[in-house]
Amino acid sequence: MKTEYETSTLFVFFFFFLRDRRSVMPKKSVRQMFRKYPDVVTIPQVCEMLGVSRNYAYLLVKQGKLTRLDLGRIVRVTKSSVIELKEKSLQKSENSPV
């Protein structure tokens, strides 16, 4: 039976091992991740792409962070603006200290 010290030491080892391993793994480009989406996407698709809520997606459009295309009452967003936003957020997260 393992003691609490042995268990916590093992946990810390695996935590650092997995963290370092993630930085070495090849990263999929954002363009490759979103290649199945059309050039103009709907708000539900933006939510799926960015992993955000519908209200936050509309807020991003309202703030001008996503390029908006109005088709009457229907709001569409360009895929290129979603890719740019995702790349910026990934760069910020890579530069931030852990």
Side-chain angles (χ1 to χ4, degrees), residues 14 25-28 37 39 45 47 52 58-59 61 63 67 72 75 78 82:
F14 278 115
M25 289 181 173
K27 295 180 181 173
K28 216 178 192 183
Y37 293 98
D39 291 335
Q45 288 172 328
C47 297
V52 297
Y58 278 112
L59 180 66
V61 170
Q63 291 175 347
T67 305
V75 176
T78 60
V82 176

Side-chain angles (χ1 to χ4, degrees), residues 4-91:
E4 184 177 330
Y5 175 76
E6 291 172 332
T7 306
S8 63
T9 305
L10 188 63
F11 172 75
V12 170
F13 170 76
F14 278 115
F15 173 76
F16 285 107
F17 175 75
L18 291 175
R19 184 188 68 169
D20 292 339
R21 180 115 185 206
R22 273 186 263 137
S23 62
V24 174
M25 289 181 173
K27 295 180 181 173
K28 216 178 192 183
S29 76
V30 177
R31 292 192 188 281
Q32 287 177 339
M33 289 177 8
F34 296 151
R35 70 174 178 250
K36 70 175 185 175
Y37 293 98
D39 291 335
V40 179
V41 294
T42 62
I43 292 296
Q45 288 172 328
V46 170
C47 297
E48 185 180 308
M49 294 166 82
L50 298 177
V52 297
S53 68
R54 186 174 56 96
N55 289 337
Y56 191 69
Y58 278 112
L59 180 66
L60 290 172
V61 170
K62 185 177 179 181
Q63 291 175 347
K65 293 183 180 179
L66 295 175
T67 305
R68 175 186 184 140
L69 300 172
D70 287 327
L71 302 170
R73 291 180 51 176
I74 300 170
V75 176
R76 303 277 190 209
V77 176
T78 60
K79 180 171 74 171
S80 61
S81 66
V82 176
I83 289 172
E84 288 174 15
L85 185 67
K86 185 72 171 182
E87 287 175 343
K88 285 180 187 177
S89 69
L90 288 175
Q91 287 175 354

